Amino acid sequence: MSDKLWIFDTTLRDGEQVPGCQLNTQEKIIVAKALEELGVDIIEAGFPISSPGDFNSVQEISKAVSNPIICALSRAVEKDIEVAAAALKFAKKGRIHTGIGVSPYHIQYKLRSTPDEIIRRGVAAVKFARNFVDDVEFYAEDAGRSEPDFLCKIIEEVIKAGATVVNIPDTTGYCLPEQYGAIIASLKNNVPNIDKAIIATHCHNDLGMATANTVAGVQHGARQVEVTINGIGERAGNTSMEEVVMAIKCHSSIPVHTDIVTQKIYQTSRLVSKLMNMPVQPNKAIVGRNAFAHSSGIHQDGVLKHRENYEIIDPKEVGVEESSIVLTARSGRAALKHHLDALGVELEGEELREVYEAFLVLADSKRDIGRKDLLELVGKYMDESNFIELGEVSYSSNGEIKAEVSLTIGSESHKASSSGVGPVDAVLKAIEKIVKPQVDLEEFLIQAITHGSDDVAKVHMRLIKSEKPYYGFASNQDIVLASAQAFVDALNKIPVKEYATA
């Protein structure tokens, strides 16, 4: 039977150190409950000594969740440890995470100390923490750049002092996978009492190696991985939880298992992204919007014939309903036919060839091919369809923000007005009054294309309808108009049968 790999999530501590991504206590509780449902084993809930808000968050999270161990960070300082213990008062299972820098850089330049003094302080911190909890984790900060013999010595001593977990951080993201794996192997082979503690990895992504280093650490004997949702964290981020979990799931040669409910990965990713106002990059492994999107004709044909031709993970395993076959100038006939079949238009042979040739000409000049384009290609008249066309958009603010929009759906004209917390919200609500698709706006991203107060804004939206994603894009100098255009663009990609009009 494979070993248990403990998932230590530090989204709410290390992850929250990203500038502009701070959460309040209530938001942290929402994330903590989602992490509990996801199946993480340890939640590092905060650094209690750092602020009253962090203390309160650790305390309230301790009350709100039952299954995971709740961990509080501290320096190797008695006051830090006392405050961490107080914050964990209500935890069903509490852990104090204390430690100190161990690299020559940290010892000489940060702490202005000596190796012997660092060992003394580390041991004293662990012993003091054991007065409050039975579960004490020691972090050897900047272990990735430490002297191997010194690292082995301090780890041996803190285990003697009562550390149950020893954390070996690659704090600066410096290591290559073989180097980090060798550090873990050295501890396994040279620390006499290493069997009395769990070795933990904590890798940063400064060189893009965090996941690779973490997996290398597991392969050499680490049995706890410290990770964040979406890989968020200081500087270039931390190890991505979803990447490590799925890498291990894909490779049976790694003799460990986790208790992560992988089907909840995607929804947890989106929750964290939304609450922290931190978009997930489109090409992010596992949870990026393009992670299961295919635009190359060769890939599309292969996926449509047999998913595993080009996908090592079934999207449903991580909570994504299905792969996306995106129509571009690189798409093949198989992809075009796939989309036409979804519209109820069945073409074969010469008819399909002629439409495909016309499609390629259009795709060369247009970035995104939608339902309107396909219907035009097959000779459908727009007034025979439910295609939505955006007309006038206006909004005003006289104490209350109101918007009015006009739409043409097929051959019928519609108007609606609505109020909202802002002009974009009001405009989208007015559109929803006319078109009632019951969609969830899951992702809404605005990017500046040019520079200055007259920037051209590019808007990207992701709507969910019947658990399937639909994307909308638009660009305009008017952000409100661009948002309305992107929303309508996404609505037009939803099959007609999926929504009703007023």
Side-chain angles (χ1 to χ4, degrees), residues 293-302 310 325-326 328-332 335:
H294 305 273
S295 66
S296 162
I298 295 173
H299 287 216
Q300 290 172 331
D301 181 61
Y310 286 100
I325 304 297
V326 183
T328 70
R330 292 161 299 285
S331 297

Side-chain angles (χ1 to χ4, degrees), residues 54-367:
D54 241 32
F55 180 93
N56 184 59
S57 292
V58 173
Q59 193 168 70
E60 293 305 314
I61 289 169
S62 297
K63 296 175 185 177
V65 301
S66 301
N67 294 323
I69 296 167
I70 304 302
C71 181
L73 185 72
S74 78
R75 294 167 297 181
V77 176
E78 287 193 357
K79 182 62 176 177
D80 280 31
I81 294 167
E82 288 174 346
V83 173
L88 291 169
K89 177 181 178 181
F90 299 101
K92 287 78 177 174
K93 294 174 283 186
R95 173 184 295 181
I96 292 176
H97 189 188
T98 189
I100 198 166
V102 300
S103 71
Y105 297 96
H106 281 227
I107 295 171
Q108 182 176 350
Y109 299 114
K110 176 186 172 183
L111 300 168
R112 302 188 186 280
S113 187
T114 65
D116 287 344
E117 176 63 12
I118 292 301
I119 292 175
R120 187 198 68 75
R121 289 175 61 181
V123 167
V126 170
K127 286 182 176 178
F128 188 68
R130 282 298 299 258
N131 292 323
F132 303 99
V133 293
D134 293 330
D135 190 2
V136 175
E137 178 172 343
F138 175 82
Y139 63 83
E141 188 175 10
D142 204 22
R145 297 188 296 171
S146 65
E147 297 291 342
D149 290 344
F150 176 73
L151 182 63
C152 288
K153 180 62 177 174
I154 193 169
I155 292 302
E156 179 182 353
E157 294 304 317
V158 297
I159 293 173
K160 286 181 184 177
T164 52
V165 180
V166 287
N167 177 12
I168 313 301
D170 183 24
T171 303
T172 59
Y174 170 77
C175 290
L176 299 174
E178 58 266 32
Q179 292 173 319
Y180 189 75
I183 291 171
I184 303 302
S186 174
L187 295 173
K188 291 287 288 185
N189 295 329
N190 298 307
V191 175
N193 57 356
I194 196 67
D195 60 315
K196 301 293 192 297
I198 294 171
I199 300 176
T201 66
H202 183 110
C203 299
H204 282 261
N205 207 38
D206 298 72
L207 293 176
M209 301 283 185
T211 295
N213 285 339
T214 298
V215 172
V218 173
Q219 289 174 311
H220 285 84
R223 287 299 177 263
Q224 175 178 296
V225 291
E226 306 201 353
V227 294
T228 62
I229 301 298
N230 300 333
I232 63 173
E234 189 124 355
R235 303 185 311 280
N238 287 51
T239 305
S240 165
M241 185 278 295
E242 57 274 9
E243 292 174 14
V244 172
V245 168
M246 295 312 296
I248 286 168
K249 191 167 185 178
C250 285
H251 288 274
S252 58
S253 59
I254 304 175
V256 297
H257 71 276
T258 76
D259 292 333
I260 295 295
V261 182
T262 62
Q263 292 78 10
K264 293 184 181 292
I265 284 176
Y266 186 78
Q267 70 183 52
T268 310
S269 164
R270 293 300 159 187
L271 173 67
V272 170
S273 174
K274 178 180 179 181
L275 290 177
M276 290 192 166
N277 295 313
M278 191 171 183
V280 177
Q281 65 192 64
N283 62 325
K284 170 73 173 65
I286 315 300
V287 293
R289 69 171 179 263
N290 293 339
F292 300 100
H294 305 273
S295 66
S296 162
I298 295 173
H299 287 216
Q300 290 172 331
D301 181 61
V303 167
L304 289 170
K305 287 176 177 175
H306 185 66
R307 181 191 59 77
E308 292 182 358
N309 282 329
Y310 286 100
E311 289 183 350
I312 58 171
I313 298 169
D314 184 339
K316 290 185 174 64
E317 282 190 47
V318 296
V320 177
E321 181 61 25
E322 62 183 4
S323 306
S324 299
I325 304 297
V326 183
L327 290 177
T328 70
R330 292 161 299 285
S331 297
R333 294 189 194 186
L336 178 62
K337 180 170 172 50
H338 171 77
H339 279 270
L340 292 177
D341 288 347
L343 292 174
V345 179
E346 297 182 7
L347 296 180
E348 300 287 350
E350 184 63 19
E351 288 181 334
L352 179 60
R353 186 191 66 78
E354 290 181 1
V355 171
Y356 179 63
E357 290 180 357
F359 160 78
L360 289 179
V361 172
L362 178 62
D364 273 332
S365 61
K366 190 171 184 180
R367 180 176 298 175

Side-chain angles (χ1 to χ4, degrees), residues 396 399-403 418-427 429:
S396 61
E400 182 181 21
I401 299 173
K402 290 187 176 181
S418 181
S419 58
V421 296
V424 171
D425 182 49
V427 167
K429 284 179 177 176

